[in-house]
Every structure is written in structure tokens, then in C-alpha cells.
Amino acid sequence: MQFANAEEKRTYMLETPVRKLVCTLAGPTILSMLITSFYNMADTFFVGKINTQATGAVGVVFSMMAIIQAIGFFFGHGSGNYISRKLGSGEMDEAEKMSAVGFFSAFIAGIILMAAGLIFVKPLAYALGSTDTILPYTVSYLGIILLGAPAMTSSLVLNNQMRFQGSAFYAMIGIVSGAVLNIILDPVLIFKCNLGIAGAALATVISQYISFVLLIFMTRRGGNIQIRFGNFKPSLYYYEEIIRGGTPSLCRQGLASVATICLNHAAGGYGDAAIAGMSIVSRVSMFANSALIGFGQGFQPVCGFNYGAGKYERVLEAFWFCVKYAFIFLLVVAGAGIFFAPELVALFRKGDPDVIEVGVAALRYQAALFPLNAWIVICNMMLQSVGKGLKASIVASTRQGLCFIPLIYILPYFFGLTGVEMCQAVSDVFTLIISIPIGMSVIHEMQRSGKKELLI
């Protein structure tokens, strides 16, 4: 939807019926998440045509990409949450300053990460969980991926800032364009140009920079806040707000990276096939959860705007609507994942029975508990959007951090490779148990407060 200015957009966000508003905003974000997840799977699919070691290397480097994404989400969600609340309360100047602080800080962080990673690329590859046989592929893929770090971090900031402004469509254009380009470039660079795994990495980096340019252009349309260097006025206040709003994302993404590294090390004890099989399952599970995350991203700006305006009843209506329909959707996804697990895993590494055996078992364990993520993900996004940073960080840290990391060492000790395969599913059960009382405490607080300001 086109908006002439920020005030017109604010009126739309505060007065449109909640269910219609969430669905309108969620459509582009679901599509962009699915396509982004699909192009992540495309790397695994095309690289899987090379050999098992190349497939394993993509899984190893995936943890590094999660670190890059964690930085982007930290600045993107931290600044975006603040921006949506300030737009909801009509404070445009503050929103503009925060947009610049979030964007330029992420870009600088991306440059630092790129430089440090390239200097220590081989030790980094081992730290991420690479074995000696996978190492040459890991170094080749990782060295090129790191070149895209500045574009990746700052693109995520632009994407999230536009989403929190209610401009999911414009955010989608930039992200989806890069994803489609990556899918096209993968087979061309890997096979036609004979670049192998380096071609897959190069396709990703090129697409990321194209996406970055498109997102910059999209900030100049639809009443969005334009990024201006003149508004880059970093201060302790702005960084405190970014930390409060972005730490849950940093915990979630950062610990996801640590969890992936631990998973690679645990699976590596059972051979390259185990690493490759778990890598495939990670990508398939990410694709299954991407629609849920996209749905939740449609909820977040509704939550932020209306919370900032004191319309707590609209926040709660949107929350329960999202949890209910996300649960129903994930029930269907779980059934499909369990039933079609052999076909899904074989799609990436057909003819390798060891990889398929590991992948099928792990996918079925995870799929069986997919529906639990309806509450976990939407609850975390609600807590983050209303500024409950500590509670959001706890929930964000549990699934692939506080629960997963201890379990990835405990379960294999007792159950061997089966413990590796079931680890994420068991972690999801504990995460649900922890997140329910935390989420309900904030829901009850909003119900009691009505139109009053909540204590932060």
C-alpha cells in the first residue's frame, strides 16, 4: 500500500482492523522469508551435486553466516523496535535519527567482521567445526562469504527498519530480488564457470550487494524514513535502546551460531556424512519455520505501533490471532515433514545412504514438535516489540542456547548419534516450558494496565 507521508501510515497502523492489518503486512514478509530460505536451500542443493565434503562445508560456514545475521538483526531489530514505537507516538525526528544510527553502525560492524575473518580464515574454519577433509572446501567458501559481511549486516537493518515502519512490501522487493538472483547464479557459477563451491559463495555475495542497493532505493519510497548520514548522531541513549530492543535477536541468532558450531563438532564425531545430514536438516527446518517467522514479522510492526500509542487491546488481539493460526499451520507442516522426510533429504544428497539415514531421523524428530514454535516465536516477537528486552532475551536464548547447547553434549553421551538427531526436538520442549510463564506475565500486565503506561 502506498502512503503519502508518515502520518498517513501511522493512522493506517492504528485504525485498520487488527486481523486484516496483520495479514496484509505478513503476506510480503512470509514470501520474502520463504524465498530467502529457499535460496539458502539452493546453495545446499547445488553444492550437494559436488560431493559430501562440500555439502558439509556449507553446513559449517552456515554458523558464520548466522553470526553475520545476528549482528544485522541486533541493529535492525534494536533500531526498528524503537522506530515503530516513536512513529506510533508521533516522534518522527527521533525515528529518523535512530534509523541512521542503526544502519551505519551495522555497516561498520560488517567491515570489522570481514577484516578479522579474512585474517584468521583457517583457524576460524576449524573453530566453526570443520574437519580436515572438509577444510579446503570450508576455507574456499568462507573466504568469499566474508566479503559480503558489510552488505549482509546493513541490508538486514534496512529490511527490518522498513518492516517496523509497516512497509513490508518494499522490504520484500529488496530481499526477494537478491534471493532470486542467487538462485539463478548458483548453477551458472558452480557448473558453467567451473568454480565449484567458490561459485556458490560468489553467487551469495553478488546477490547480497544487489539486494543492498535495492533496499537503499526502497527507503526513498512509500513514506519510509530515508537514510541520511547527517542523521547519524550516535549516543549512549540510542545504543542503550538498540541493546534493549536488539539483544533478544543477538541472543537468538548468536546462540544459533554457537549451537550450530556445537552441532558440527558433535556430528563430526560420527563422520562427514553426519555433518552433511544435519546440515541438510537445518536448511529444511529453516524453510519450514520461515513462513512462521514471516507471519510473526507481520505482527511486529502492528505490535510496536499500537503499543507505542497505548492501544494494548489491539496488541493482545493480534498476538492471540497469530498464535492460533500459526499453530494450525505448523500442524500441517509437521505431518508433511514426518511423512516426506526420506524424499526431502534425498533431494539434496541422493545416492548417499549414510547422509539420508541421519537426515531422515533428525528431520522426523524436529518435525514432530514444529507446532510448539507457534507460541515460542510469536511470544518472543511480542516481548521484543513492546520493549521487554530482558524477558525477550531469555526466551530467545533458550531454544538454541540455554537448552540446546547443554543437550548437544548430554544426549549424545547417552544415546550416541540418536542424541544428536533428537537434540533440537528435546530443546523445543524445554523452551516451551520456560517461555509460557514469561509471556503470560507480560500479557497479564497489559490486560491490567489498559490505557496506562507500562513499567519498563
Side-chain angles (χ1 to χ4, degrees):
M1 178 174 286
Q2 294 277 358
F3 296 102
N5 51 56
E7 185 58 35
E8 183 180 324
K9 180 186 293 184
R10 179 173 181 268
T11 301
Y12 174 76
M13 295 293 292
L14 298 180
E15 296 182 4
T16 303
V18 166
R19 295 188 176 196
K20 177 183 177 182
L21 184 59
V22 170
C23 291
T24 300
L25 296 175
T29 56
I30 290 173
L31 181 61
S32 61
M33 284 300 301
L34 285 172
I35 294 178
T36 300
S37 181
F38 183 74
Y39 93 72
N40 282 329
M41 290 172 64
D43 266 3
T44 304
F45 174 79
F46 289 116
V47 169
K49 303 294 183 182
I50 302 173
N51 55 39
T52 298
Q53 286 69 36
T55 304
V58 171
V60 169
V61 177
F62 180 68
S63 56
M64 187 65 225
M65 293 181 71
I67 293 173
I68 296 171
Q69 290 171 352
I71 294 172
F73 279 122
F74 171 70
F75 288 106
H77 284 166
S79 60
N81 280 306
Y82 181 87
I83 288 168
S84 68
R85 294 197 299 273
K86 291 303 176 181
L87 291 176
S89 60
E91 300 175 66
M92 185 66 179
D93 288 345
E94 283 295 299
E96 290 178 342
K97 291 175 183 176
M98 179 58 91
S99 68
V101 172
F103 172 79
F104 288 109
S105 297
F107 190 80
I108 293 168
I111 292 175
I112 294 171
L113 187 63
M114 175 186 69
L118 290 173
I119 292 171
F120 301 105
V121 64
K122 189 172 180 179
L124 179 59
Y126 276 121
L128 295 175
S130 178
T131 63
D132 288 332
T133 52
I134 291 176
L135 184 65
Y137 297 94
T138 305
V139 170
S140 178
Y141 192 74
L142 178 60
I144 296 173
I145 287 294
L146 285 167
L147 296 175
M152 293 180 193
T153 55
S154 47
S155 290
L156 284 170
V157 172
L158 294 172
N159 175 52
N160 283 288
Q161 286 185 356
M162 282 192 282
R163 282 198 308 100
F164 279 103
Q165 293 174 64
S167 295
F169 175 76
Y170 293 104
M172 178 194 72
I173 292 175
I175 295 297
V176 168
S177 298
V180 172
L181 179 62
N182 193 338
I183 294 169
I184 295 171
L185 288 176
D186 262 337
V188 174
L189 296 178
I190 294 172
F191 303 114
K192 295 294 183 182
C193 298
N194 294 316
L195 294 178
I197 195 171
L202 189 59
T204 297
V205 170
I206 291 172
S207 67
Q208 287 291 337
Y209 276 100
I210 296 295
S211 180
F212 171 74
V213 173
L214 288 172
L215 285 166
I216 288 286
F217 177 74
M218 290 301 157
T219 62
R220 302 178 180 276
R221 302 177 63 84
N224 290 312
I225 295 173
Q226 295 186 29
I227 302 297
R228 295 188 175 93
F229 188 74
N231 287 327
F232 181 47
K233 299 176 180 179
S235 69
L236 181 60
Y237 169 73
Y238 289 125
Y239 285 119
E240 285 177 344
E241 289 295 329
I242 288 175
I243 290 170
R244 185 168 67 168
T247 298
S249 295
L250 184 63
C251 290
R252 181 174 59 250
Q253 293 294 127
L255 285 172
S257 176
V258 175
T260 302
I261 293 170
C262 294
L263 176 63
N264 289 332
H265 282 288
Y270 301 94
D272 292 347
I275 295 179
M278 295 307 298
S279 172
I280 290 170
V281 172
S282 295
R283 297 303 175 98
V284 173
S285 297
M286 178 187 295
F287 184 76
N289 280 313
S290 62
L292 169 64
I293 295 171
F295 192 43
Q297 288 177 344
F299 160 71
Q300 283 186 297
V302 178
C303 185
F305 264 85
N306 286 278
Y307 183 84
K311 296 191 174 186
Y312 307 128
E313 73 287 350
R314 284 172 60 85
V315 175
L316 295 175
E317 181 184 352
F319 173 78
W320 289 117
F321 169 73
C322 289
V323 170
K324 175 182 176 181
Y325 285 96
F327 182 80
I328 295 171
F329 167 75
L330 288 175
L331 279 176
V332 177
V333 172
I338 294 170
F339 187 78
F340 294 108
E343 291 78 9
L344 289 170
V345 177
L347 182 66
F348 295 90
R349 194 67 192 139
K350 187 175 181 179
D352 194 329
D354 292 334
V355 172
I356 293 174
E357 182 181 0
V358 172
V360 169
L363 182 56
R364 282 178 169 159
Y365 283 124
Q366 291 190 33
L369 296 175
F370 274 161
L372 302 187
N373 286 323
W375 172 272
I376 295 169
V377 172
I378 302 300
C379 174
N380 179 240
M381 289 182 168
M382 181 267 290
L383 294 171
Q384 189 172 5
S385 297
V386 302
K388 299 295 182 181
L390 177 59
K391 292 180 177 181
S393 297
I394 293 172
V395 174
S397 301
T398 51
R399 185 171 185 262
Q400 291 186 302
L402 300 178
C403 293
F404 184 93
I405 293 174
L407 287 171
I408 195 60
Y409 292 104
I410 295 171
L411 293 178
Y413 179 80
F414 290 101
F415 303 105
L417 180 57
T418 301
V420 176
E421 295 165 348
M422 68 166 59
C423 185
Q424 186 62 70
V426 177
S427 177
D428 287 349
V429 174
F430 284 107
T431 301
L432 180 69
I433 294 171
I434 293 170
S435 65
I436 287 177
I438 293 175
M440 290 306 299
S441 69
V442 175
I443 289 171
H444 290 153
E445 188 178 345
M446 280 192 277
Q447 289 172 335
R448 290 192 302 267
S449 297
K451 298 294 183 179
K452 296 178 182 179
E453 290 287 334
L454 297 181
L455 294 176
I456 298 176

